[in-house]
Amino acid sequence: MARDPAFVLRYLAEVEELAEDVLAARQQIVDLDVKRNRNREALRALRKDPEPEGKAMVCFGSTFIELPKAKTEEMLRKDQEHLDEEINNLRKELRVKVNRLFEAQGKPELKGFNLNPMSPEEMKLINRILEG
């Protein structure tokens, strides 16, 4: 059975577009994770500093500003929370994009891909049950 060339081209273009979306989302997650790790390193360096009441040089774009360490640590912590939230949202979106790509390719949905981690409260309950 011969396929219409226009149909095949549309199908291939759709699959390629979906694959590019998946790759772009993965790259965005990697980039945000690198930034999150840099923030973590900065927070650790601030905590190790023997002068907790001093000031720290902070880089905003191409400008360095001297800020109190407490304010700098608070800003980094808020940025860290924002990055965690953004990465989690991107991971959720990535699951949907991967499923759409698999559907377009005629592959079955990934098993176990839609699992969510247990919360600390759920873990405590499980440990209580297991301990008897």
Side-chain angles (χ1 to χ4, degrees):
M1 173 169 101
R3 295 266 182 182
D4 177 28
F7 171 79
V8 173
L9 283 175
R10 279 194 311 274
Y11 168 75
L12 291 174
E14 179 186 344
V15 169
E16 185 174 347
E17 184 179 330
L18 291 170
E20 285 176 4
D21 284 348
V22 167
L23 291 174
R26 284 184 178 166
Q27 186 59 48
Q28 194 173 4
I29 290 170
V30 168
D31 293 343
L32 290 174
D33 197 42
V34 167
K35 185 175 180 183
R36 183 172 60 172
N37 286 334
R38 286 186 187 144
N39 279 4
R40 192 177 301 133
E41 290 172 14
L43 279 167
R44 193 169 292 125
L46 282 173
R47 289 182 186 133
K48 282 186 173 183
D49 194 355
E51 290 185 37
E53 300 302 318
K55 293 190 174 196
M57 295 295 286
V58 182
C59 181
F60 291 103
S62 62
T63 306
F64 281 91
I65 300 173
E66 194 172 35
L67 294 173
K69 286 184 182 174
K71 179 70 175 168
T72 303
E73 194 171 334
E74 179 186 334
M75 287 172 40
L76 285 170
R77 230 187 339 267
K78 284 182 182 178
D79 194 34
Q80 201 75 343
E81 290 170 6
H82 175 72
L83 287 169
D84 286 340
E85 186 178 309
E86 200 169 335
I87 288 171
N88 286 335
N89 289 339
L90 283 170
R91 285 185 176 146
K92 288 176 187 172
E93 291 173 16
L94 181 62
R95 291 175 184 160
V96 173
K97 290 178 181 183
V98 167
N99 282 335
R100 269 194 242 135
L101 175 61
F102 274 44
E103 184 181 312
Q105 291 175 328
K107 294 180 181 177
E109 185 177 312
L110 289 175
K111 301 265 188 260
F113 195 59
N114 290 323
L115 298 175
N116 292 318
M118 290 174 42
S119 69
E121 295 82 28
E122 292 170 328
M123 282 300 296
K124 286 178 187 175
L125 290 172
I126 295 291
N127 286 334
R128 242 187 251 151
I129 291 170
L130 291 175
E131 290 171 356

